[in-house]
Amino acid sequence: MLRLIGGFWVARSIYLAAQLGVADLFDDQPKTIAQLAAATNTDPRSLYRFPRALGSVGIFTEVSDQTFALTPLGATLKSDSPGSMRYAALAQMGDDHSLGWNNGLHSAGF
């Protein structure tokens, strides 16, 4: 049950990685958080939380201290991968779609 309850943070972290285009920054070489932060114009300490968290579900792997590689599952977030899931993540977890779920009690008449 805890895994299901925590599913939101996983989905939202995937969305954030897709929004920032993090997977597109990977070639065959691991990337440091400093490299990813510079490429996405984000704070390295803040950005570090996302690949680290997504490592727990197999999207990234931390190969050394603050250096990550993209897994085959994570590669599905690349814009140019066959069957890319990047745009599905953006559509499903973006504000247009997720706000409806956030306001579910209102929809139920409460």
Side-chain angles (χ1 to χ4, degrees):
M1 180 56 77
L2 189 57
R3 186 174 57 109
L4 294 172
I5 293 168
F8 178 78
W9 74 260
V10 173
R12 195 65 179 171
S13 294
I14 291 169
Y15 166 80
L16 292 168
Q19 184 71 26
L20 292 171
V22 174
D24 289 334
L25 301 174
F26 284 87
D27 45 25
D28 292 334
Q29 299 298 317
K31 302 289 183 209
T32 66
I33 285 297
Q35 291 171 311
L36 296 173
T40 57
N41 197 33
T42 57
D43 176 70
R45 289 178 297 164
S46 299
L47 181 65
Y48 179 54
R49 295 179 186 114
F50 295 105
R52 187 171 167 215
L54 291 172
S56 72
V57 293
I59 293 174
F60 296 103
T61 185
E62 192 166 10
V63 295
S64 63
D65 187 38
Q66 296 195 11
T67 301
F68 290 87
L70 193 63
T71 67
L73 179 62
T76 66
L77 291 174
K78 292 184 85 157
S79 299
D80 63 353
S81 73
S84 174
M85 297 302 294
R86 180 176 185 222
Y87 301 104
L90 292 172
Q92 290 294 317
M93 290 308 299
D95 289 341
D96 290 342
H97 189 83
S98 67
L99 284 178
W101 290 106
N102 290 341
N103 294 308
L105 287 175
H106 176 74
S107 298
F110 287 101

